Amino acid sequence: MSWKVTVFAPRDVVQAALIAHEDAWDWDHDIVIAGSEIAEDKPEDWQLEAWLDRKPTKADQDAIADLFEGTPPKLNIEKLPETDWVTLSQQGVEPIREGVFHVHTPEYPPLNERGVRDFVIPASQAFGTGQHATTAGCLAMLSHMKQQGVTVRNLADIGTGTGLLGFAGLHLWPRARAIASDIDAVCGPVVAENAANNGIPLGDGAGRMAMVIAAGMDHPLLEAAGPYDLLIANILAGPLVELAPEFARAVVPGGSVLLAGLLETQEAAVRAAYRKAGLRLAARMVRGDWSILWLRRRAAGGVRSSRVGALPEWSKRW
């Protein structure tokens, strides 16, 4: 990406713009945006950054400005130097320690400590290296769920990115069968490479993880592999609300849904959607401005347990 547009504004203004971006159904996905605080000692001063692989056109600038209500903000536009972004993104990416997990890039050594699972995840095109508060929070919540006695024989990681959360689930419940999905086709080879580097077997069966490219639950293999004891979704608040009925149907009574990718200001809307779908809150945590929610489906009616047999023969072509 060779151009960047930056808008400086108070935290609530930038967060409102991020929500508006989620709701912009006609957004040009060649424009990648993110919001963050400018400095740790100034938590209320934020910036919204937009990256493009072209010089921003007037239409591009208008689209970014329209994310903000009221008077159009000042857009700071700059051309970025030619850079190896993957190499640069790995510089200064410190390892994280969450729950029973230690996640690091190849530039750092593993801990090799008893009771700690090391995962090596290179910074890459896919989201989910463990550095973002939502991914790190999910690792902590998964560890908490295990401590609380949750049993998982069948799990799904929706919007997997690098595969990390699916890998973590298989570590905590090593006899489980797992399936991961992502809407972005680039995640297929990324997950395969990360699985190989971390000793995670791919495919169908206990202790293995299958991978599909799909939007939400829209894939026959996701339907065939369910229902699930645990469904993980670290995506965005808008899709989480939209997918609430499908996620609820996909888990067994008493099963768990782990949600992340939502700002704390979006939590009420997300929880309302899942309460309507028949799930109750089991635990929550807040990391920075982000909420991580563990929800459980009411244990009444419907299918009583997850299926743990082999997937049907037709599924092998996927």
Side-chain angles (χ1 to χ4, degrees):
M1 301 178 185
S2 56
W3 290 81
K4 184 172 76 167
V5 179
T6 306
V7 176
F8 299 100
R11 177 175 67 171
D12 59 341
V13 173
V14 173
Q15 289 181 346
L18 293 172
I19 294 172
H21 168 256
E22 288 186 27
D23 295 337
W25 61 270
D26 58 347
W27 185 261
D28 182 350
H29 293 288
D30 287 338
I31 307 175
V32 179
I33 74 167
S36 62
E37 62 184 30
I38 297 173
E40 290 186 4
D41 60 343
K42 297 180 179 180
E44 297 303 316
D45 294 339
W46 274 47
Q47 61 186 353
L48 182 140
E49 296 173 291
W51 293 271
L52 304 88
D53 60 0
R54 61 179 183 265
K55 183 176 182 179
T57 64
K58 184 179 185 303
D60 296 333
Q61 296 176 52
D62 289 344
I64 296 168
D66 287 345
L67 297 176
F68 296 85
E69 293 186 359
T71 304
K74 179 183 178 182
L75 304 183
N76 300 279
I77 302 173
E78 60 182 312
K79 188 178 189 303
L80 302 175
E82 292 298 324
T83 307
D84 182 346
W85 290 105
V86 172
T87 300
L88 182 62
S89 67
Q90 296 192 29
Q91 295 176 0
V93 178
E94 298 290 332
I96 66 162
R97 178 76 163 77
E98 289 288 352
V100 299
F101 303 106
H102 173 250
V103 185
H104 62 99
T105 60
E107 289 69 32
Y108 292 89
L111 287 183
N112 291 323
E113 290 184 8
R114 185 175 181 179
V116 176
R117 178 55 157 101
D118 289 292
F119 284 118
V120 54
I121 304 290
S124 68
Q125 292 173 288
F127 178 83
T129 63
Q131 297 301 316
H132 195 275
T134 58
T135 309
C138 284
L139 294 173
M141 187 67 85
L142 286 169
S143 298
H144 173 70
M145 293 165 66
K146 178 69 174 181
Q147 292 172 351
Q148 295 301 305
V150 171
T151 300
V152 176
R153 300 188 302 171
N154 196 15
L155 70 92
D157 178 12
I158 308 300
T160 191
T162 62
L164 175 59
L165 296 181
F167 301 164
L170 281 179
H171 171 73
L172 294 170
W173 297 280
R175 297 300 298 166
R177 187 183 69 190
I179 184 167
S181 73
D182 203 285
I183 194 172
D184 191 344
V186 76
C187 294
V190 168
V191 169
E193 180 179 356
N194 288 336
N197 290 337
N198 289 281
I200 305 295
L202 294 180
D204 179 36
R208 295 177 174 271
M209 189 170 81
M211 174 70 194
V212 298
I213 303 301
M217 301 295 293
D218 188 18
H219 196 288
L221 193 55
L222 286 169
E223 181 177 354
Y228 303 98
D229 302 300
L230 169 62
L231 186 149
I232 306 165
N234 181 14
I235 44 179
L236 293 169
L240 288 178
V241 169
E242 182 181 348
L243 289 165
E246 292 182 60
F247 285 174
R249 288 192 297 268
V251 296
V252 299
S256 296
V257 175
L258 176 56
L259 304 179
L262 59 145
L263 292 163
E264 190 177 6
T265 55
Q266 301 168 317
E267 182 180 333
V270 172
R271 287 174 60 176
Y274 283 82
R275 187 166 54 250
K276 183 178 180 181
L279 287 92
R280 60 180 178 81
L281 184 69
R284 67 183 287 270
M285 65 174 61
V286 176
R287 293 295 182 90
D289 295 290
W290 303 90
S291 294
I292 295 90
L293 307 178
W294 169 21
L295 304 157
R296 302 197 78 163
R297 183 180 169 189
R298 295 191 183 95
V303 179
R304 293 292 176 180
S305 63
S306 59
R307 297 194 296 265
V308 295
L311 290 173
E313 285 296 316
W314 62 261
S315 70
K316 294 180 180 178
R317 69 174 180 267
W318 299 97

